[in-house]
Amino acid sequence: MPNSAPEELLASLKLCVNGSGLVLVACSGGADSVALLHAAKTLAPERVECVHFDHRWSSTSTDCALFVRELALSWNIPYHGGQAESSGRFSEDAARSSRYSYFERIAAQTGAQCLLLGHHREDQLETIFFRLLRGTGSEGLGAMRESRLLSPEGNTKTLLVRPWLSFSRELIREYTTEHFLTWREDPSNQDLSLKRNLLRLAILPEIEKAFPDFGKRLLNTSELIVAEGDFIQEQANTMLSADSVYKKSDFLAKPIALQRRLLKSELEKLKISVSFSLIEELRELVFASMKAKRQLGAKKFFVLNELDFSFLETTSSTKKQDFKSSKIPLQTGKYKLSGYGILEIEKLKTPVSEAPQGDNYEVLLALRDEQIIVFSPREAKMRFQPLNNHQSVLLKDFLIQRKAKQKLSKPVLLCFSDDQIIWIPGLEIADSVKVTSQNPATYRLKLNLNPN
């Protein structure tokens, strides 16, 4: 005998409310979210709290907020209510942004393990079709995910979960009927001047009349596209450069899908609004093999050179890149490296034939007394011969391999001698200055970084 609507919906919800953490339920007052709040209360009565956001779109929105508050309190569920700063109609994107900002704030305040939303299969279909009409890539056609971090920036560890995304609106209505639940219909949901409402109430029903399996087929297509898009993103992630510098030849040798995804990832890192036209413009610039500089936003640039291209952001946090080269004699003492810290040099009284393992901000080097060392920022096309390597490599490739951008708290600084890189503080010494029994250490160098 098939499970009843309550059994199916409760079973899908159990995994979300397992554990001991607090569960937030976003409740608009509509049938779907009221059913979700009731189901969550049934499974975890001591750990559920309700959150509602009033967009103040109409005079009835206050009544709806009051309804949700009274409903939550009648079920002994703590209530959190927020509202838009101003009343009246504004864009749907702006409304969503305000709503989710409030959800993030409450999640951070309560330390909730998850935030539950009552979206269902028809909502998913509507979202996919809406994004298709506006123009989107594979990520957009994937529409809503069943779970993700509530805050992509990592402001909270709360998971956003849509436990009923694969269930129909009809099944949820069966749940409300079996439990005699009441809800409020938002009058704005009937406003055909809103594009989503027009799609839901007028366009999609007509399409489904003509193509009865349209919804199912579109959802299946979306699932296929999501899986393929995730694979492309995984491949693109392996191409991402730690310093956002890329060889033109390597880039152009990649499939177009990977080229587009890599450019998209770099634009998102700079918080630039991504569009198909912008990505194609950048691809054409690379293909044209000319020198160019394209401003992407305030102090954000796409720079094209003869052999490579890069994404740059010039802000106050990157002024340390203006550090000028400093020539320092090999003499015991302390020397200031502006923007980085204090360099300590000590001539060893007795040469050391074995260098201890350290954090690479303090190193023992085999140097000559007459040598002059130079500290300088990195430049393009430099080469470096890492410790225990018999050949030099492009510095850019070495920094990517060692994940320099993630490991170092400051821009890359290089130590030269005789025009050769001998030390990258925080990362590695060169093979030419390594300590051996035949080539003992004569100097200790230590870089004490300034606090960020």
Side-chain angles (χ1 to χ4, degrees):
M1 183 176 179
N3 292 335
S4 67
E7 289 174 339
E8 287 190 67
L9 296 176
L10 288 173
S12 71
L13 192 57
K14 281 182 180 178
L15 289 176
C16 303
V17 299
N18 277 346
S20 58
L22 179 69
V23 177
L24 282 176
V25 179
C27 184
S28 66
D32 310 319
S33 59
V34 166
L36 183 61
L37 182 63
H38 180 274
K41 182 246 329 179
T42 301
L43 293 173
E46 304 300 323
R47 294 187 289 109
V48 171
E49 297 188 8
C50 174
V51 58
H52 174 86
F53 187 78
D54 177 6
H55 293 107
R56 300 177 67 191
W57 275 356
S58 66
S59 57
T60 60
S61 66
T62 302
D63 295 336
C64 190
L66 183 60
F67 167 78
V68 175
R69 179 180 180 275
E70 290 179 347
L71 177 68
L73 296 181
S74 70
W75 288 344
N76 295 316
I77 297 174
Y79 171 83
H80 305 274
Q83 63 178 17
E85 293 181 0
S86 59
S87 59
R89 180 70 64 193
F90 45 95
S91 76
E92 294 172 70
D93 287 341
R96 183 184 185 281
S97 177
S98 298
R99 181 170 69 252
Y100 277 83
S101 292
Y102 179 70
F103 291 166
E104 286 184 27
R105 180 152 55 90
I106 298 302
Q109 289 176 4
T110 59
Q113 77 175 25
C114 63
L115 169 73
L116 305 184
L117 301 181
H119 294 122
H120 48 68
R121 188 167 60 202
E122 285 78 6
D123 291 325
Q124 180 75 298
L125 176 62
E126 172 192 318
T127 300
I128 295 170
F129 199 80
F130 187 67
R131 291 181 180 178
L132 182 63
L133 293 175
R134 292 200 306 182
T136 186
S138 59
E139 290 173 292
L141 288 177
M144 297 180 286
R145 302 283 178 135
E146 288 193 357
S147 66
R148 65 168 175 82
L149 280 175
L150 173 60
S151 172
E153 288 77 25
N155 298 329
T156 74
K157 294 182 179 180
T158 305
L159 278 178
L160 183 154
V161 184
R162 300 177 175 94
W164 291 348
L165 198 56
S166 61
F167 294 97
S168 67
R169 177 190 291 117
E170 181 182 0
L171 190 68
I172 298 173
R173 291 303 167 94
E174 287 181 28
Y175 182 98
T176 61
T177 299
E178 290 191 32
H179 289 279
F180 304 101
L181 301 179
T182 58
W183 63 88
R184 285 291 183 95
E185 292 290 354
D186 186 347
S188 69
N189 288 339
Q190 305 301 315
D191 184 356
L192 294 182
S193 67
L194 294 176
K195 293 178 181 178
R196 274 188 175 273
N197 290 344
L198 180 65
L199 185 63
R200 181 191 314 117
L201 300 175
I203 298 175
L204 283 177
E206 292 300 317
I207 293 176
E208 288 173 332
K209 282 181 185 178
F211 304 94
D213 290 334
F214 161 76
K216 179 181 178 181
R217 292 175 189 237
L218 184 59
L219 290 173
N220 290 343
T221 300
S222 171
E223 187 173 338
L224 291 172
I225 291 174
V226 168
E228 293 171 4
D230 287 346
F231 175 75
I232 293 172
Q233 186 62 54
E234 287 178 8
Q235 299 301 306
N237 289 343
T238 66
M239 296 168 53
L240 289 175
S241 164
D243 55 5
S244 298
V245 178
Y246 298 90
K247 288 183 184 178
K248 286 182 180 178
S249 58
D250 290 348
F251 177 81
L252 293 173
K254 301 295 182 184
I256 292 175
L258 283 177
Q259 293 177 12
R260 288 171 174 157
R261 192 60 69 100
L262 184 146
L263 294 174
K264 178 177 180 292
S265 297
E266 287 290 350
L267 291 169
E268 288 175 342
K269 279 164 58 177
L270 290 175
K271 298 190 182 332
I272 298 297
S273 178
V274 178
S275 67
F276 179 77
S277 60
L278 175 57
I279 288 177
E280 291 307 286
E281 178 189 343
L282 298 184
R283 284 185 62 242
E284 288 175 11
L285 285 173
V286 177
F287 187 77
S289 295
M290 63 178 72
K291 288 187 177 182
K293 187 174 184 179
R294 203 305 194 168
Q295 185 163 2
L296 300 170
K299 300 181 179 180
K300 299 173 183 180
F301 300 91
F302 174 78
V303 180
L304 198 65
N305 299 311
E306 289 183 4
L307 299 176
D308 60 29
F309 65 90
S310 59
F311 293 82
L312 301 177
E313 181 172 15
T314 56
T315 65
S316 57
S317 62
T318 60
K319 287 183 179 178
K320 303 182 187 76
Q321 299 277 15
D322 297 332
F323 171 77
K324 296 180 179 179
S325 297
S326 295
K327 292 185 178 180
I328 299 173
L330 273 178
Q331 297 177 0
T332 297
K334 295 183 179 181
Y335 304 86
K336 183 178 181 180
L337 301 179
S338 178
Y340 283 87
I342 302 297
L343 174 70
E344 298 180 16
I345 298 180
E346 177 190 1
K347 182 177 181 180
L348 301 177
K349 294 179 181 179
T350 304
V352 176
S353 60
E354 185 176 348
Q357 296 294 320
D359 61 3
N360 284 311
Y361 281 108
E362 180 176 5
V363 292
L364 296 178
L365 303 179
L367 299 170
R368 304 185 310 274
D369 289 347
E370 69 272 15
Q371 283 182 267
I372 297 292
I373 58 175
V374 178
F375 281 85
S376 173
R378 63 159 295 194
E379 297 177 11
K381 304 176 187 177
M382 286 180 172
R383 299 189 72 85
F384 174 58
Q385 185 173 350
L387 183 66
N388 297 325
N389 278 40
H390 298 300
Q391 293 182 333
S392 65
V393 297
L394 280 172
L395 176 62
K396 183 188 76 170
D397 294 338
F398 171 79
L399 295 176
I400 292 172
Q401 182 182 9
R402 293 295 299 273
K403 299 182 179 179
K405 197 170 185 179
Q406 292 91 333
K407 289 182 179 179
L408 301 182
S409 59
K410 294 180 182 294
V412 174
L413 183 66
L414 307 175
C415 177
F416 291 85
S417 180
D418 298 331
D419 295 324
Q420 298 293 320
I421 302 171
I422 62 171
W423 178 34
I424 306 176
L427 287 180
E428 187 79 278
I429 66 170
D431 191 68
S432 61
V433 292
K434 72 179 178 181
V435 175
T436 66
S437 56
Q438 291 79 29
N439 199 31
T442 51
Y443 284 88
R444 179 184 68 88
L445 276 63
K446 181 179 181 181
L447 179 57
N448 300 294
L449 293 176
N450 291 332
N452 286 329

